[in-house]
């Protein structure tokens, strides 16, 4: 391929100022335990998941949003799409609630695919959307899928009752601030759990918010997410048993006899034994002094 035949590309980053792409809301869903299902179910699930999403959008009064979805992509075990971000508050509620209801109804009678339980992630950001190839690609789209695959949303769905909880959602910090904290959706901020979203093996960590339309069990016990509640002390480690050592036989009692220390004139004291117990000091005369006295 010659240089003139190379596909046209835009200017390099930071080389020129340009308009931002339009902001788009991004929804992604993923089926729990898809890879663990029999291969015969995979094709059916690929078809069923978009159908269930369409029903939930219709029941939420958002049928037009579904019909006008942007850069939609069937991922095999899930589905991803862009949409007008003005609808973000209503995608949080009632859409996630209706998705929970649709899945509950479906799972009562599911035969070809077994139960379908979904993780969902919501994000917002600038993404190309001009009808050209490559639409929808960008950091916000990547982050949406990282959130969907993050540990907290996986853990909270796995820890819930499969008879009650069919949907576990995770919202980006931006979505939470714009749609929930600002009061535009009919869900109170206290119905969300702040979590650090991380993905094993990926350089990704963001603050995010969990939301479960139909919680079950101890779903809001943060220990499910691998955290220790504030004020709870870690379990004390069991101290190893002290090493048993045989005591040495007691030493024989020290001899406490009297040690005699003789003073011999001005030549000081002469100790005739080790100093143990009491000591007796005698001041005897030097025999040479007696001899000198006899010669006087």
């Amino acid at each position: 391929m010659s240089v003139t035949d190379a596909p046209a590309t835009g200017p390099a980053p930071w080389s020129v100022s340009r308009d931002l792409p339009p902001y788009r809301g991004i929804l992604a869903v993923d089926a729990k335990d898809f890879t663990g299902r029999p291969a015969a179910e995979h094709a059916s699930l690929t078809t069923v998941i978009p159908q269930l999403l369409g029903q939930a959008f219709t029941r939420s009064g958002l049928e037009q949003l579904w019909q006008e979805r942007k850069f939609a992509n069937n991922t095999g075990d899930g589905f991803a799409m862009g949409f007008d971000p003005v609808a973000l508050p209503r995608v949080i509620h009632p859409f996630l609630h209706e998705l929970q209801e649709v899945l509950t109804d479906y799972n009562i009678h599911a035969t070809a695919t077994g139960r379908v339980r979904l993780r969902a992630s919501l994000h917002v950001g600038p993404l190309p959307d001009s009808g050209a190839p490559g639409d929808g690609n960008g950091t916000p789209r990547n982050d949406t899928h990282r959130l969907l695959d993050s540990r907290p949303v996986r853990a909270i769905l796995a820890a819930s009752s499969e008879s009650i909880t069919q949907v576990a959602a995770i919202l980006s910090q931006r979505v939470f601030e714009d749609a929930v904290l600002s009061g535009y959706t009919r869900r109170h901020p206290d119905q969300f759990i702040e979590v650090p979203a991380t993905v094993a093996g990926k350089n990704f960590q963001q603050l995010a918010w969990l939301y479960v339309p139909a919680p079950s069990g101890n779903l809001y016990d943060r220990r499910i997410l691998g955290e220790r509640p504030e004020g709870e002390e870690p379990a004390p480690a069991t101290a190893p048993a002290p090493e048993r050592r045989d005591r040495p036989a007691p030493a024989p009692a020290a001899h406490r006899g009297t040690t005699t220390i003789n003073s011999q004139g001005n030549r000081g004291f002469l100790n005739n034994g080790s100093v143990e117990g009491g000591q007796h000091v005698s001041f005897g005369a030097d025999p040479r002094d007696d001899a000198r006295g006899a010669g006087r």
Side-chain angles (χ1 to χ4, degrees):
M1 178 184 293
S2 66
V3 175
T4 56
D5 294 331
T9 59
W14 307 291
S15 64
V16 62
S17 295
R18 71 203 87 172
D19 293 341
L20 274 173
Y23 273 73
R24 292 289 178 255
I26 311 146
L27 168 70
V29 300
D30 200 12
K32 182 181 183 296
D33 297 332
F34 179 84
T35 56
R37 295 171 180 264
E41 293 184 1
H42 289 190
S44 298
L45 271 173
T46 300
T47 303
V48 163
I49 290 174
Q51 292 175 352
L52 296 172
L53 291 174
Q55 291 177 31
F57 274 109
T58 299
R59 289 174 56 161
S60 304
L62 297 171
E63 184 176 6
Q64 184 175 355
L65 197 73
W66 173 249
Q67 297 297 333
E68 297 176 355
R69 57 191 180 274
K70 311 290 186 179
F71 41 82
N73 181 28
N74 192 321
T75 61
D77 60 347
F79 194 84
M81 57 175 273
F83 58 91
D84 188 338
V86 300
L88 267 172
R90 290 181 291 155
V91 174
I92 296 170
H93 184 81
F95 169 74
L96 290 174
H97 169 77
E98 292 298 340
L99 182 59
Q100 159 73 29
E101 294 299 309
V102 166
L103 289 172
T104 299
D105 293 343
Y106 175 82
N107 288 337
I108 292 173
H109 307 289
T111 54
T113 63
R115 287 183 173 273
V116 177
R117 304 175 72 206
L118 296 177
R119 300 187 305 275
S121 61
L122 279 170
H123 192 26
V124 64
L127 288 172
D129 183 19
S130 62
D135 275 1
N137 290 325
T139 299
R141 176 75 170 267
N142 294 339
D143 288 350
T144 304
H145 288 280
R146 294 286 183 264
L147 289 169
L148 187 65
D149 202 33
S150 65
R151 182 182 184 278
V153 71
R154 284 181 171 274
I156 208 162
L157 186 59
S160 64
S161 168
E162 66 175 16
S163 300
I164 304 298
T165 304
Q166 313 305 329
V167 176
I170 186 165
L171 280 59
S172 69
Q173 177 74 15
R174 178 66 185 273
V175 169
F176 180 78
E177 289 179 355
D178 290 354
V180 180
L181 206 57
S182 299
Y184 286 105
T185 189
R186 196 168 178 261
R187 298 290 91 175
H188 192 276
D190 289 349
Q191 293 174 281
F192 299 78
I193 306 174
E194 182 180 15
V195 292
T198 59
V199 180
K202 302 290 184 181
N203 184 22
F204 176 82
Q205 181 169 355
Q206 291 185 3
L207 284 180
W209 296 83
L210 290 175
Y211 170 61
V212 182
S216 58
N218 294 323
L219 207 54
Y220 292 120
D221 185 342
R222 297 190 71 92
R223 285 171 292 190
I224 292 172
L225 308 177
E227 300 180 23
R228 188 169 65 246
E230 185 176 351
E232 180 180 298
E233 296 295 330
T238 303
E243 182 181 355
R244 181 174 179 178
R245 297 180 180 177
D246 294 333
R247 292 185 177 181
H255 175 65
R256 296 187 179 275
T258 300
T259 299
T260 301
I261 300 178
N262 294 322
S263 171
Q264 297 184 355
N266 58 2
R267 290 198 298 274
F269 296 106
L270 175 64
N271 191 335
N272 293 329
S274 60
V275 180
E276 295 178 354
Q279 298 188 75
H280 177 73
V281 181
S282 63
F283 295 88
D286 189 332
R288 288 173 295 181
D289 291 340
D290 294 340
R292 285 193 293 271
R296 287 178 182 170

